[in-house]
Amino acid sequence: MSTPSWSPPDVSQEGATLETFILEGMFKVDGATGAFTSLLNQLCLAAKLITTRVRRAGLADILGYTGETNVQGERVQKLDTLANDLLIATLKRRGHCAAVATEELPEAVFFPESKGSYLVVADPLDGSSNIDVNISIGTIFGIYRCDRSQGLPTTESFLRPGSEMVAAGYVIYGSSTVLVLSTGNGVHGFTWDPSAGEFFLSHENIRCPRRGNIYSINEGNAQRWTDGVRSWAAHLKESAPEQGLPYSHRYVGSLVADAHRTLFKGGIFAYPADLKSPKGKLRLLYEANPMAFVFEAAGGAATTGTERILDVVPTQLHARVPLVLGSVEDVALYQRLAHGTTAP
Ligand code: P6P
């Protein structure tokens, strides 16, 4: 039985809580069981729990490294571990999630007691190298349906293109905490109100501008780029006001922060393959795919430079890809100048 696709309510819901917004979206779907709605609310609960810990990090001595390293070979910070554990524990409740794969764990976590038909992929705390210098970090998530007619899911159940996701989004812990969510029908932002302990709809129907004037890439890697990427970056720095050049350069070094700014202001974010990261640095399942899902739902674009991100079929949970996302015109220009290809 194909689960009807969820869509948000028609009339403006400005000021509605996230739970209300999700619930009212469900009421519009004939035959909805409430499982998807309940799973989304569990993810929102995880975001609330992580938000409170992130906001207290400076006070509660949960900064600093644990001394361990994760499957990426990166030093693990306490907040990383805490966010990962909170997310998994929250998703395990209510039984709608059959398994979850996160950046922090080498293998997926399966919930055999669950009768749920959903899989979650997540980067529980992206940008963790910025935690102890108080720069924006975030949580990134995506949701797939899974077929339970063959019994429990397996790791292979996760190795599907991002186009098969039914929802995706992220939480940015910045000057305020904002949860950005898409179920494929538009993109909506919810801002955390700590006094109420709720997320309230604050950005309805977010649209990515067709073109921006900001490019976001780690210029420190320039000597490792291909000639094509170098010529693209050089083009954006030319002084040609009639072409809207030069662009400004902004780079936080936290994907959620750089992507969030690009979603609202337009322009382009790129983490291309280079001599140090021949497959790119960012992970397909729980970084590139959820961001690509959000950007396409907001009228933006996301490619590897030659292929639509959401079409890439992962070969393993922690597969890496080159990631280029942003305004459709800026992504198309990147593809033309950096790879000599046209938009997919
Ligand atoms: P670099 C953070 O560690 C991260 O995974 C992403 O959030 C960010 O976009 C990227 O790495 C930054 O990488 O090599 O520029 O520091």
Side-chain angles (χ1 to χ4, degrees):
M1 176 191 81
S2 66
T3 309
S5 71
W6 182 91
S7 63
D10 296 329
V11 295
S12 169
Q13 297 291 302
E14 198 79 23
T17 65
L18 178 50
E19 281 77 4
T20 303
F21 186 82
I22 291 170
L23 204 56
E24 292 187 354
M26 181 197 83
F27 291 147
K28 289 174 43 122
V29 178
D30 295 338
T33 64
F36 181 55
T37 299
S38 179
L39 175 62
L40 282 177
N41 281 322
Q42 284 302 93
L43 272 170
C44 301
L45 172 61
K48 291 179 182 178
L49 296 172
I50 296 170
T51 293
T52 54
R53 270 72 171 177
V54 167
R55 296 290 172 206
R56 284 202 329 251
L59 307 173
D61 188 27
I62 47 180
L63 287 181
Y65 292 104
T66 62
E68 298 150 12
T69 57
N70 65 17
V71 65
Q72 318 296 334
E74 296 163 342
R75 292 198 301 169
V76 177
Q77 302 216 24
K78 291 177 184 174
L79 266 179
D80 275 340
T81 306
L82 193 61
N84 189 63
D85 296 351
L86 281 173
L87 184 71
I88 291 172
T90 309
L91 289 172
K92 187 173 182 179
R93 291 193 194 95
R94 292 197 195 172
H96 303 307
C97 178
V100 55
T102 81
E103 180 194 43
E104 291 303 317
L105 300 175
E107 302 301 333
V109 177
F110 296 89
F111 304 130
E113 70 287 350
S114 162
K115 302 280 185 294
S117 305
Y118 293 97
L119 303 176
V120 173
V121 293
D123 183 352
L125 209 60
D126 171 70
S128 47
S129 56
N130 293 307
I131 290 175
D132 42 8
V133 289
N134 206 20
I135 289 176
S136 298
I137 52 181
T139 299
I140 309 172
F141 60 88
I143 303 176
Y144 290 87
R145 279 195 207 90
C146 73
D147 173 8
R148 294 299 301 267
S149 61
Q150 307 302 318
L152 276 176
T154 63
T155 300
E156 283 60 40
S157 308
F158 286 92
L159 302 183
R160 296 149 61 183
S163 55
E164 293 184 13
M165 286 192 293
V166 291
Y170 61 87
V171 188
I172 179 168
Y173 311 108
S175 49
S176 62
T177 295
V178 178
L179 186 148
V180 173
L181 172 66
S182 177
T183 58
N185 296 290
V187 179
H188 308 280
F190 302 82
T191 300
W192 172 248
D193 176 347
S195 62
E198 290 286 0
F199 281 100
F200 289 94
L201 181 64
S202 51
H203 304 83
E204 202 166 8
N205 286 319
I206 300 167
R207 301 299 291 168
C208 183
R210 284 193 60 80
R211 183 184 174 190
N213 62 3
I214 297 171
Y215 79 105
S216 183
I217 189 170
N218 185 341
E219 283 274 3
N221 295 337
Q223 291 311 309
R224 299 200 284 256
W225 297 338
T226 63
D227 292 341
V229 173
R230 269 197 288 272
S231 69
W232 161 78
H235 170 75
L236 293 187
K237 289 182 265 191
E238 286 170 8
S239 177
E242 71 286 356
Q243 294 179 53
L245 300 174
Y247 275 26
S248 297
H249 180 255
R250 297 284 184 275
Y251 190 74
V252 178
S254 173
L255 173 61
V256 174
D258 286 316
H260 188 71
R261 180 200 58 248
T262 305
L263 182 67
F264 280 82
K265 291 183 178 289
I268 189 167
F269 167 87
Y271 207 112
D274 62 28
L275 292 176
K276 179 184 173 190
S277 311
K279 293 187 184 301
K281 173 181 182 182
L282 299 175
R283 276 63 58 143
L284 174 59
L285 255 70
Y286 39 75
E287 290 178 329
N289 271 339
M291 284 302 179
F293 187 94
V294 167
F295 268 78
E296 288 201 2
T303 82
T304 63
T306 55
E307 182 181 4
R308 181 178 176 240
I309 287 285
L310 294 180
D311 289 340
V312 179
V313 179
T315 53
Q316 46 127 336
L317 286 183
H318 303 290
R320 296 176 190 265
V321 282
L323 175 61
V324 182
L325 52 72
S327 300
V328 284
E329 293 181 19
D330 289 300
V331 171
L333 178 67
Y334 174 92
Q335 297 202 165
R336 205 162 54 249
L337 297 184
H339 295 276
T341 59
T342 54

